[in-house]
């Protein structure tokens, strides 16, 4: 098997506060292969965005990586700082955020921003960079790219802006793209366009994608594999079809069942009682046990097992299905 | 059965012009945005009527007009036989107004951060000089919180709990109608299902009528009895829930049904819809959807389609059948 | 009964002890030192009659022979001892300073109160009502801003003095001073409150209040006002420092507190006449106190702004 593009091992992020140390990311491990889209899904506070930010080195102080490893192909990058990190970002790692306006400079034309990024990371001249910028815009579906390259970000609609951001993230031919809720701010019809675009470009170029979102539907359509996060840890990891049609972890199961689409014709929706624990009040044992209907004494006393204990699928002492039966 | 709420030819125009001096200096005309254009529908008592649409469809504007936060530019809203803009008897208007309450979208902005929960929930009663002793505690328990939570401040609660407090406030004045403006779109899935279940329970217990505004088709499909689909301020299709989902007539409705992400559509490689929602200040002539419509003909760009009845569906499309 | 089981909500004091503001205060040495300086100076001013060795307003206790006594030395003629020396008329500099600080603080504080009330009320009205009310208030504010504040204060001072009968002029001078400084300073309160009001009035809790039929003015006072007070508090603190300096400036120019009831500014004016004839202490001590007072209040204001604005943290 080839080396994964991105590899996380036991990543821990801590935030020291006046009342104690919080761990928004607590021992996260997963790999993403070239050309693969890993969907990282979870509710607010699960640590999914924080994981993405830790990978690209965009943690806001005082949050910091305290242990674990982030590997980009063969290179550990968790301790890179300053110039080395900046060169890696953009060149080898692209970013797409929820709000396209935060990643575009409102004072520069989109052409300037694209050519600047291309010239910074690739050894090409001004005119070649410009041609590449036009090609990139054309590829993400901006109509009349040659005419619109001199436009400013505010002259584009929300969906077109997100296309520009995708062009910007991919123009230096990175190996990894981190997309944090890329379609959340968009309308349904535009969202479908952006997902289709992201999928096509990444497959064609063999880019590894970490797609962070709270929307199960988006993950189901776009991702190859899925990592379900809860209270800072990955509770279930597996191929998207298997996890969604046959979840092992009770949290994943509850999450699927409580989406309105899953309980068609029922008067009431299935619901998970309670809400995600706050980071400063994590329960002992498995963090999900107070909300879990399958919880037993073992769940209260022991922390959730590692994914490895459950054939790499779910971090649970009493999974919904015995993993041995499911793998066939 | 006659409708509890009737909306007739409702139109709302916003003036989004620059200030007067800038307009004169830059020689720009007034800019008018038609957020809602000649929308008519009725809501039966004790039912859930949902308005769905993407941004700029005018769904929130309609909700605010019915709740009384905005006034219509043209057309009228009749609640329980009282025309809210032409009725001269102040007492009648006040009685209808106190029958309509609202649940808001953002649980972090809809509660005054400086007020205790007790004061927040009691406000609809105390502001009219009523006595609300014990009411907040009773309502808190009704929405699944504890009576002692009345002494806390909003920041001590999670998003879902705050939304429950917002629901308790909406119930305080004993309303018959509640306008729910995207009540769960700021919440996580597992919390969303709790809040939706609570709203269903309350409707049955209290015999409430909901106007449910949302962009989320799965939520609407779960909650609504009847659904109106809005595009660029016009009602393009309206049908009972099951009929709409089984047999959407309008090409726009078909498009958003097709585009919505689904949990059973693994690796779907369908052709995504074309184009984006046009600028509402200069909407396309004729049918507002014609520039994106896969079946549009010449007539669509010239003549605005009226709502036609096809069985129990009302649809504004020249070609639908 | 169930009521017995309900734990009591934490008291106001306990909540203050637990607040982020208190935490930030204990972690900011600059804030602690500034607060200490301000507290010492304010206490000294308030307790002046108890602390001051002489009463500078009682001509009976003055002895012209004590004039120009240097600090820390006994007077050559009378043998009297003055901690910080005396001025030309034999007044104890330390005592006049304490009493002068009272006047400076009183004028500054009252002026800021006046500016705050006027500014907050007009800002709320402009922000919430909009339309011609807003245009009128904010254009007046714009016009006033084109003149330096001290000029506006002098103008108001001049007019007010002109219409007061001469017999009451000295008596009224302090109040005229407060009016002049207060009215020259309302604009920034109004601008900030208007901006904050524009944000708050579109939030959903205000819509909820409109929905249940709460009247406009009630919404402004009960809902919006408490939520726009943080920036007002910051501006009030910084304005206090500016108002004290404005008072000193006016008094220094001779249009403020009368020599019979000298403020720190008046003392500095008296002192600068003797600056170059060797009697440096008459100027130095009042000036140093003014500097310490204004600087400490300003630093407190800066800290408050940082602590109340989570975006900067």
């Amino acid at each position: 098997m080839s080396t994964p593009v991105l590899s996380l091992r036991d990543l821990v992020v801590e935030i020291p506060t006046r009342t104690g140390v919080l761990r928004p990311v607590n021992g996260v491990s997963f790999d993403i292969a070239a050309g693969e889209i890993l969907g990282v899904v979870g509710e607010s506070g699960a640590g999914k965005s924080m994981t993405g930010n830790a990978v690209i080195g965009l943690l806001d102080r005082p949050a910091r990586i305290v242990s674990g490893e982030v590997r980009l192909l063969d290179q550990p990058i968790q301790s890179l700082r300053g110039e080395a990190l900046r060169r890696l970002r953009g060149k080898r790692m692209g970013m797409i955020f929820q709000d396209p306006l935060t990643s575009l400079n409102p004072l520069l034309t989109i052409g300037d921003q694209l050519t600047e990024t291309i010239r910074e990371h690739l050894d090409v001249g001004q005119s070649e960079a410009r041609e590449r910028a036009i090609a990139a815009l054309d590829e993400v579906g901006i109509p009349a790219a040659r005419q619109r390259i001199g436009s400013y970000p505010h002259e584009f609609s929300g969906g077109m802006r997100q296309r520009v951001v995708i062009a910007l993230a991919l123009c230096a031919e990175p190996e990894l793209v981190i997309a944090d809720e890329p379609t959340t701010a968009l309308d349904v019809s535009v969202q479908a366009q952006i997902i289709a675009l992201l999928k096509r470009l990444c497959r064609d170029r063999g880019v590894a994608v970490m797609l962070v979102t709270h929307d199960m539907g988006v993950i189901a359509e776009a991702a190859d594999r899925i990592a379900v996060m809860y209270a800072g840890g990955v509770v279930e990891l597996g191929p998207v079809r298997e996890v969604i049609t046959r979840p092992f972890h009770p949290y994943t199961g509850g999450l699927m069942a409580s989406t309105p689409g899953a309980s068609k014709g029922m008067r009431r929706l299935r619901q998970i009682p309670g809400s995600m624990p706050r980071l400063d009040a994590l329960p002992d044992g498995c963090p999900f046990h107070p909300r879990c209907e399958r919880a037993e004494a073992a769940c209260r006393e022991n922390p959730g097992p590692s994914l490895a204990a459950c054939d790499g699928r779910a971090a649970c002492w009493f999974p919904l299905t015995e993993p041995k039966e499911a793998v066939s | 059965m006659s409708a509890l709420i009737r909306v007739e030819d409702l139109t709302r125009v916003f003036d989004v012009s620059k200030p007067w001096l800038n307009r004169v200096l830059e020689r720009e005309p007034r800019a008018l945005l038609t957020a809602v254009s000649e929308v008519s529908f009725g809501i039966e008592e004790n039912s859930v009527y949902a308005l769905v649409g993407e941004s700029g469809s005018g769904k929130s504007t309609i909700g605010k007009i019915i709740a009384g936060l905005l006034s219509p530019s043209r057309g009228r809203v009749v609640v329980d036989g009282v025309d809210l803009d032409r009725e001269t008897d102040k007492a009648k208007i006040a009685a209808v107004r106190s029958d309509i309450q609202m649940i808001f979208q953002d649980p972090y902005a809809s509660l005054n951060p400086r007020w205790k929960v007790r004061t927040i929930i009691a406000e609809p009663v105390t502001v009219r000089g009523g006595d609300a002793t014990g009411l907040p505690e009773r309502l808190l328990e009704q929405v699944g919180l504890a009576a002692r939570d009345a002494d806390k401040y909003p920041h001590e609660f999670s998003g879902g709990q705050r939304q429950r407090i917002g629901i308790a406030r909406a119930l305080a004045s004993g309303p018959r109608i509640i306008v729910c403006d995207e009540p769960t779109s700021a919440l996580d899935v597992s919390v969303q299902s709790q809040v939706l279940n609570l709203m269903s329970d309350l409707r049955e217990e209290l015999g409430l009528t909901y106007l449910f505004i949302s962009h989320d088709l799965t939520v609407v499909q779960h909650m609504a009895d009847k659904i109106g689909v809005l595009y660029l301020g016009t009602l393009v299709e309206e049908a009972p829930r099951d009929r709409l989902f089984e047999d959407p007539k309008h090409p726009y409705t078909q498009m958003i049904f097709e585009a919505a992400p689904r949990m059973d559509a693994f690796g779907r490689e369908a052709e995504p819809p074309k184009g984006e929602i046009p600028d509402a200040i200069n909407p396309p002539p004729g049918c507002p959807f014609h520039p994106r419509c896969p079946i549009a003909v010449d007539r669509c760009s010239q003549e605005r389609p009226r709502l036609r009845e096809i069985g129990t569906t009302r649809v504004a499309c020249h070609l639908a059948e | 009964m169930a009521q017995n089981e309900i734990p009591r909500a934490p008291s106001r004091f306990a909540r203050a002890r637990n607040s982020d503001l208190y935490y930030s205060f204990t972690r900011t040495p600059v804030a602690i030192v500034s607060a200490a300086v301000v507290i010492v100076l304010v206490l000294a001013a308030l307790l002046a009659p108890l602390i001051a060795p002489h009463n500078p307003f009682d001509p009976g206790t003055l002895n012209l022979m004590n004039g120009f006594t240097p600090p820390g030395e006994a007077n050559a003629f009378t043998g009297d001892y003055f901690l910080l020396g005396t001025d030309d008329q034999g007044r104890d500099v330390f005592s006049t300073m304490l009493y002068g600080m009272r006047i400076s603080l009183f004028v500054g504080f009252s002026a800021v109160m006046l500016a705050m009330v006027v500014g907050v009320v007009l800002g709320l009205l402009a922000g919430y009502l909009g339309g011609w009310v807003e245009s009128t208030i904010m254009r007046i504010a714009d016009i006033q801003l084109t003149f330096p504040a001290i000029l506006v204060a002098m103008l108001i001072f001049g007019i007010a003095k002109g219409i007061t009968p001469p017999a009451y002029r000295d008596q009224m001078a302090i109040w005229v001073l407060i009016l002049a400084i207060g009215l020259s300073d309302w604009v920034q309160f109004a601008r900030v409150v208007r901006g904050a009001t524009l944000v708050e009035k579109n939030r959903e809790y205000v819509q909820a209040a409109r929905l249940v039929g709460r009247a406009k003015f009630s919404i402004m006072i009960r809902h919006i006002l408490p939520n726009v007070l943080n920036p007002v508090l910051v501006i009030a603190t910084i304005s206090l420092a500016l108002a004290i300096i404005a008072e000193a400036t006016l008094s220094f120019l001779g249009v403020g507190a009368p020599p019979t009831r000298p403020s720190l500014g008046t003392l500095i004016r008296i002192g600068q006449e003797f600056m170059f004839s060797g009697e440096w202490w008459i100027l130095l001590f009042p000036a140093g106190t003014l500097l310490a007072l204004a600087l400490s209040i300003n630093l407190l204001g800066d800290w408050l702004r940082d602590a109340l604005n989570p975006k900067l943290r």
Side-chain angles (χ1 to χ4, degrees):
Chain A
M1 230 181 90
S2 60
T3 327
V5 174
L6 177 72
S7 172
L8 300 189
R9 284 294 169 269
D10 285 322
L11 183 70
V12 177
V13 175
E14 285 187 352
I15 305 177
T17 70
R18 59 183 262 217
T19 44
V21 176
L22 307 180
R23 282 196 170 182
V25 179
N26 192 0
V28 167
S29 308
F30 56 72
D31 295 337
I32 310 179
E36 182 184 49
I37 300 182
L38 176 76
V40 179
V41 69
E43 301 180 283
S44 45
K48 52 191 194 305
S49 289
M50 196 70 89
T51 306
N53 287 348
V55 170
I56 41 178
L58 281 182
L59 287 176
D60 289 324
R61 275 168 58 82
R64 63 201 171 89
I65 298 175
V66 290
S67 65
E69 192 179 53
V70 181
R71 240 171 212 285
L72 188 62
L73 289 174
D74 298 325
Q75 185 187 6
I77 58 169
Q78 71 274 11
S79 48
L80 287 185
R81 296 280 176 276
E83 180 61 20
L85 182 64
R86 209 180 58 77
R87 226 172 318 118
L88 212 59
R89 246 185 255 147
K91 173 69 195 96
R92 299 184 60 192
M93 298 187 287
M95 293 162 283
I96 302 166
F97 292 112
Q98 174 174 352
D99 180 2
L101 281 182
T102 57
S103 33
L104 294 173
N105 184 338
L107 299 177
L108 294 178
T109 66
I110 57 162
D112 288 345
Q113 298 183 48
L114 278 165
T115 44
E116 191 190 321
T117 311
I118 292 169
R119 292 201 61 189
E120 198 175 308
H121 297 296
L122 304 176
D123 185 25
V124 294
Q126 178 66 29
S127 58
E128 156 128 42
R130 195 181 141 80
E131 284 310 310
R132 282 192 181 217
I134 292 169
L137 288 176
D138 203 40
E139 207 179 346
V140 295
I142 304 267
R146 194 167 292 276
Q147 283 82 49
R148 300 219 65 182
I149 195 164
S151 307
Y152 289 89
H154 71 262
E155 296 174 76
F156 290 88
S157 67
M160 285 298 157
R161 250 182 239 142
Q162 198 60 297
R163 287 170 192 265
V164 174
V165 172
I166 291 176
L168 200 59
L170 291 175
C171 67
E173 294 162 7
E175 291 139 346
L176 171 71
V177 166
I178 294 182
D180 190 352
E181 305 271 4
T183 60
T184 305
L186 304 173
D187 284 313
V188 180
S189 56
V190 183
Q191 167 174 303
Q193 299 167 4
I194 298 296
I195 294 174
L197 175 71
L198 201 60
K199 257 164 72 177
R200 179 169 60 79
L201 288 180
C202 294
R203 292 267 153 72
D204 293 355
R205 299 170 171 220
V207 178
V209 180
M210 176 174 164
L211 174 63
V212 177
T213 177
H214 69 281
D215 191 328
M216 280 287 185
V218 170
I219 296 269
E221 291 199 6
D224 302 301
R225 287 193 308 135
I226 176 172
V228 183
M229 287 192 72
Y230 187 80
V234 174
V235 295
E236 184 153 5
L237 180 68
V240 71
R241 184 187 293 268
E242 284 173 33
V243 171
I244 287 186
T245 52
R246 216 164 167 192
F248 283 4
H249 197 284
Y251 174 65
T252 320
L255 207 57
M256 303 298 167
S258 58
T259 52
S263 21
K264 278 194 182 113
M266 285 199 266
R267 196 190 65 79
R268 287 173 61 93
L269 296 165
R270 286 271 311 276
Q271 59 181 53
I272 309 177
S275 55
M276 173 97 61
R278 286 159 48 140
L279 287 173
D280 56 0
L282 284 181
D284 290 333
C286 168
F288 186 61
H289 87 257
R291 302 175 72 186
C292 182
E293 48 192 22
R294 299 166 65 88
E296 294 181 22
C299 307
R300 285 183 282 277
E301 285 151 18
N302 310 310
S306 70
L307 288 170
C310 206
D311 272 9
R313 252 300 278 279
C316 180
W317 296 114
F318 305 104
L320 293 169
T321 320
E322 284 306 312
K324 293 271 152 46
E325 298 165 25
V327 179
S328 55
Chain B
M1 206 158 100
S2 81
L4 178 61
I5 300 176
R6 262 188 305 127
V7 172
E8 291 169 10
D9 284 327
L10 194 68
T11 299
R12 171 71 202 205
V13 180
F14 290 105
D15 188 343
V16 290
S17 318
K18 291 181 182 171
W20 172 80
L21 197 61
N22 297 52
R23 268 204 332 268
V24 172
L25 294 176
E26 293 163 26
R27 293 170 201 278
E28 278 186 15
R30 253 176 195 290
L32 297 176
L33 185 152
T34 307
V36 179
S37 173
E38 296 171 28
V39 168
S40 305
F41 60 88
I43 306 179
E44 306 287 333
E45 178 144 24
N46 220 332
S47 74
V48 180
Y49 189 97
L51 287 174
V52 280
E54 301 178 273
S55 55
S57 64
K59 55 190 191 300
S60 284
T61 307
I62 296 177
K64 283 181 184 166
I65 291 173
I66 292 177
L69 289 173
L70 285 173
S71 56
S73 304
R74 288 187 295 280
R76 53 195 200 137
V77 176
V78 183
V79 179
D80 213 8
V82 179
D83 184 331
L84 288 176
D85 288 286
R86 282 178 200 78
E87 180 61 53
T88 47
D89 185 348
K90 286 246 168 72
K92 266 190 184 172
I93 297 229
V96 169
R97 280 270 163 258
S98 71
D99 269 348
I100 307 178
Q101 266 297 339
M102 195 157 171
I103 299 170
F104 295 91
Q105 172 176 6
D106 183 355
Y108 291 87
S110 62
L111 309 176
N112 188 335
R114 304 264 168 181
W115 283 22
K116 278 190 179 170
V117 167
R118 171 178 292 114
T119 327
I120 292 174
I121 295 178
E123 184 178 23
V125 176
T126 51
V127 79
R128 296 196 174 89
D131 175 28
T133 318
L135 180 69
E137 289 79 1
R138 194 171 60 69
L139 286 169
L140 279 171
E141 287 180 347
Q142 192 167 12
V143 299
L145 295 171
R148 65 169 180 276
D149 290 334
D151 277 315
K152 295 184 184 164
Y153 285 86
H155 70 84
E156 298 173 60
F157 296 90
S158 69
Q161 290 171 324
R162 285 168 186 235
Q163 203 58 314
R164 288 173 192 264
I165 295 170
I167 292 173
R169 170 179 59 193
L171 296 176
S173 60
R176 296 161 66 197
I177 301 161
I178 296 187
V179 176
C180 319
D181 189 358
E182 303 261 14
T184 61
S185 65
L187 304 178
D188 282 316
V189 181
S190 72
V191 179
Q192 164 173 288
S193 58
Q194 296 169 9
V195 171
L196 291 178
N197 282 342
L198 172 68
M199 291 175 66
S200 301
D201 295 345
L202 289 171
R203 182 169 80 89
E204 280 184 13
E205 280 167 38
L206 305 172
L208 298 171
T209 304
Y210 287 154
L211 172 63
F212 197 95
I213 295 163
S214 181
H215 70 280
D216 188 330
L217 291 169
T218 58
V219 171
V220 164
Q221 184 174 17
H222 177 74
M223 292 295 286
D225 298 314
K226 203 173 202 184
I227 299 166
V229 182
L230 291 163
Y231 184 75
L232 268 188
T234 59
L235 189 63
V236 295
E237 182 164 3
E238 180 202 68
R241 186 238 335 247
D242 292 338
R243 179 151 169 85
L244 185 79
F245 279 90
E246 275 157 25
D247 184 17
K249 301 281 187 197
H250 198 283
Y252 174 68
T253 317
Q254 292 163 359
M255 185 192 90
I256 54 172
F257 283 3
E258 188 55 38
R262 290 206 312 265
M263 296 228 307
D264 54 359
F266 302 110
R268 185 167 62 157
E269 304 284 350
E271 189 66 14
K274 298 261 182 305
E276 291 185 36
I277 302 162
D279 179 13
I281 297 173
N282 302 301
C287 171
F289 187 60
H290 85 262
R292 302 173 71 188
C293 183
I295 59 169
V297 294
D298 282 352
R299 186 182 170 202
C300 300
S301 58
Q302 287 144 18
E303 186 190 332
R304 182 171 158 173
R306 316 288 314 173
L307 277 173
R308 291 183 293 134
E309 284 188 22
I310 304 176
T312 49
T313 303
R314 292 196 298 154
V315 59
C317 177
H318 295 306
L319 302 166
E321 52 198 33
Chain C
M1 275 301 291
Q3 254 175 339
N4 296 334
E5 294 160 20
I6 297 173
R8 283 179 60 84
S11 71
R12 222 162 245 279
F13 179 71
R15 278 196 283 126
R17 278 289 305 267
N18 216 351
S19 67
D20 291 341
L21 202 62
Y22 178 79
Y23 179 78
S24 155
F25 183 76
T26 58
R27 293 297 170 97
T28 318
V30 174
I32 297 174
V33 172
S34 307
V37 171
V38 172
I39 288 171
V40 166
L41 289 176
V42 168
L43 276 182
L46 287 178
L47 302 176
L50 300 178
I51 300 171
H54 303 87
N55 182 352
F57 300 137
D58 182 359
T61 65
L62 291 186
N63 183 352
L64 274 178
M65 296 294 284
N66 278 334
F68 299 126
T69 313
E73 292 174 31
N75 185 275
F77 306 104
T78 61
D80 290 345
Y81 178 87
F82 299 95
L83 181 63
L84 302 179
T86 61
D87 67 0
D88 55 332
Q89 300 176 48
R91 287 191 293 199
D92 175 27
V93 169
F94 181 59
S95 303
T96 42
M97 240 171 57
L98 289 183
Y99 279 90
M101 208 155 63
R102 283 184 117 183
I103 294 173
S104 290
L105 277 170
F106 176 72
V107 170
F109 195 74
S110 310
V112 169
M113 281 295 150
L114 178 66
M116 192 163 85
V117 170
V118 172
V120 167
V121 168
L122 291 180
L124 264 180
L125 288 172
Y128 194 77
L129 297 179
W132 63 267
V133 178
E134 182 181 23
S135 307
T136 313
I137 293 173
M138 294 328 285
R139 288 309 82 76
I140 293 175
D142 287 346
I143 292 168
Q144 183 167 330
L145 268 190
T146 58
F147 299 101
I150 204 77
L151 214 62
V152 176
M154 285 179 77
L155 187 73
I156 300 172
F157 190 84
I159 296 170
K161 213 169 176 187
I163 55 176
T164 349
Y168 296 100
R169 252 179 220 167
D170 268 12
Q171 223 180 323
M172 297 293 288
I174 298 289
W175 300 105
V176 171
L177 203 53
I178 291 170
L179 191 73
I181 297 172
L183 289 185
S184 70
D185 199 34
W186 67 274
V187 173
Q188 45 171 335
F189 285 98
R191 289 192 142 194
V192 166
V193 169
R194 170 183 163 269
T197 303
L198 286 177
V199 173
E200 294 296 323
K201 86 168 178 184
N202 285 319
R203 303 192 64 160
E204 289 173 344
Y205 72 88
V206 174
Q207 294 187 4
R210 283 176 55 206
L211 194 71
V212 298
R214 192 177 272 281
K216 274 180 194 165
F217 290 98
S218 179
I219 289 179
M220 280 186 235
I221 292 166
R222 296 268 286 129
H223 279 289
I224 295 181
L225 184 61
N227 284 298
V228 299
L229 280 184
N230 274 0
V232 169
L233 192 63
V234 173
I235 296 182
T237 315
I238 292 170
S239 283
L240 180 59
L242 292 176
I244 288 171
I245 290 173
E247 183 278 328
T249 311
L250 288 176
S251 298
F252 181 82
L253 295 172
V255 294
T260 50
R261 299 188 68 83
S263 69
L264 285 178
T266 324
L267 294 178
I268 292 169
R269 176 168 56 105
I270 297 169
Q272 59 95 28
E273 292 172 22
F274 306 107
M275 178 70 205
F276 297 105
S277 53
E279 291 83 12
W280 48 270
W281 59 90
I282 308 178
L283 171 69
L284 191 75
F285 293 118
T289 310
L290 178 71
L291 183 74
L293 187 62
L295 185 67
S296 306
I297 295 176
N298 227 332
L299 289 173
L300 266 185
D302 278 350
W303 161 76
L304 203 58
R305 186 186 54 211
D306 295 346
L308 290 178
N309 190 348
K311 271 183 223 138
L312 292 176
R313 264 188 291 173

